Amino acid sequence: MPELLCPVCGGVLTQGEKAGICSSGHSFDRAKSGYVNLLVARQSGAQHGDDKEMVRARRAFLDGGWYAPLRCALCSAAVRHTPAEDTVDLLDAGCGECYYTAAVAAALRTAGKCVGAAGVDISKDALRWGGKRAPDLQLAVASVFRLPVAAKSCDILLNVFAPFAGEEYVRVLRPGGVLLHAAPDAMHLWELKEAVYETPYRNDAAPPVQAGLSLVEEERISAVLHLVRHEDIASLFQMTPYAHKTGPADAARLDALDTLDVTAAFVLRAYRRD
Ligand SMILES: [Zn+2]
């Protein structure tokens, strides 16, 4: 698996039970759930990334299986884009609770590949659940813009609903390695937005462009979700970026929703590192 590096000196971290320690003696505590926190002092302190409430909502919703079509597509793409014979080093940049990471690692193993997998996320709350879901993954709190792994150390990089840090992805992928990038398509959750907002807007679904990464495949995945419980609708809304920008009138419309047919629409793109 891609070895985690010390964020202070860049040395390889030896993973102990209680901490990851580099040869210069920099030490990073391991949480009970398994992740190491690699944010250095000036980065830590304030809440980073998704908070507890958002993580709880997303976990509940994902565990309901509603986004399984995207998970299946990611698994197939990962198997398709990795060579049969070699060990596969997998890194999930923005792994959240590892719902996709764990499934992709399992799919690669089922396909007979030897997999080492790691996940990075800026949210401790997300990684706490990630460690429970996937105890065999190496997990670290860090930014996707400063991934704690060596240059050219990854064969497959996942980037699912997480910021696109193009230059950093070029750095960590081996030549010929593949980035699988999943993002909301233009009409993702349209009916939900229509029900809540006066003037819903479409998502920008333009493909990210990065020198050194060539787009080799683009797949659109969509499904209509028949939500018949208010709590599923509320969880779905809570896990979106718009949840924090909602006024009282919008919130009242959301509270009144007990059933909803809503389109989930994703774009999954594969980029090959030149
Ligand atoms: Zn160090």
Side-chain angles (χ1 to χ4, degrees):
M1 70 181 71
E3 285 182 309
L4 295 179
L5 303 183
C6 171
V8 178
C9 69
V12 171
L13 287 177
T14 302
Q15 299 297 334
E17 197 181 318
K18 297 234 164 110
I21 302 172
C22 76
S23 60
S24 306
H26 302 124
S27 174
F28 301 89
D29 289 348
R30 179 180 303 290
K32 265 196 215 119
S33 56
Y35 67 82
V36 286
N37 186 352
L38 300 183
L39 284 184
V40 288
R42 63 188 161 75
Q43 295 170 289
S44 60
Q47 169 72 36
H48 288 286
D50 302 332
D51 62 18
K52 273 200 180 70
E53 186 49 32
M54 186 166 186
V55 168
R56 186 209 57 77
R58 190 168 56 208
R59 195 167 53 90
F61 191 83
L62 291 176
D63 282 343
W66 299 105
Y67 281 4
L70 174 60
R71 190 169 66 163
C72 288
L74 272 163
C75 291
S76 311
V79 170
R80 201 162 56 239
H81 287 290
T82 40
E85 66 278 18
D86 297 339
T87 296
V88 176
D89 288 318
L90 166 74
L91 176 66
D92 192 341
C95 61
E97 309 85 73
C98 300
Y99 172 76
Y100 302 103
T101 337
V104 168
L108 288 168
R109 288 192 187 108
T110 303
K113 300 169 202 252
C114 180
V115 185
V120 164
D121 202 280
I122 197 81
S123 166
K124 285 184 210 174
D125 291 314
L127 289 185
R128 195 167 295 139
W129 291 107
K132 287 177 187 167
R133 190 191 292 280
D136 54 332
L137 300 183
Q138 225 184 143
L139 300 177
V141 184
S143 164
V144 298
F145 291 91
R146 199 164 170 234
L147 292 167
V149 297
K152 300 181 185 171
S153 59
C154 304
D155 300 299
I156 285 267
L157 195 58
L158 303 182
N159 186 215
V160 182
F161 294 110
F164 186 85
E167 279 181 36
E168 185 65 342
Y169 300 162
V170 170
R171 183 183 72 84
V172 303
L173 276 169
R174 296 194 174 110
V178 168
L179 165 68
L180 296 177
H181 174 257
D185 207 351
M187 298 302 275
H188 182 55
L189 305 184
W190 182 254
E191 299 86 346
L192 178 60
K193 291 180 181 177
E194 229 176 13
V196 174
Y197 295 124
E198 294 282 354
T199 46
Y201 61 92
R202 289 164 166 241
N203 297 311
D204 173 10
V209 175
Q210 172 61 48
L213 294 176
S214 306
L215 183 62
V216 291
E217 198 177 83
E218 187 171 76
E219 185 180 351
R220 300 196 121 79
I221 300 129
S222 77
V224 176
L225 316 180
H226 304 283
L227 304 180
V228 294
R229 299 191 316 163
H230 174 74
E231 58 197 278
D232 287 333
I233 299 169
S235 289
L236 176 59
F237 189 79
Q238 190 68 40
M239 64 195 266
T240 66
Y242 353 110
H244 293 297
K245 304 172 203 156
T246 301
D250 303 329
R253 281 194 285 269
L254 179 68
D255 281 344
L257 282 177
D258 287 319
T259 64
L260 184 70
D261 283 355
V262 60
T263 305
F266 313 102
V267 198
L268 175 57
R269 296 184 174 101
Y271 293 83
R272 191 170 296 282
R273 164 82 156 80
D274 298 342

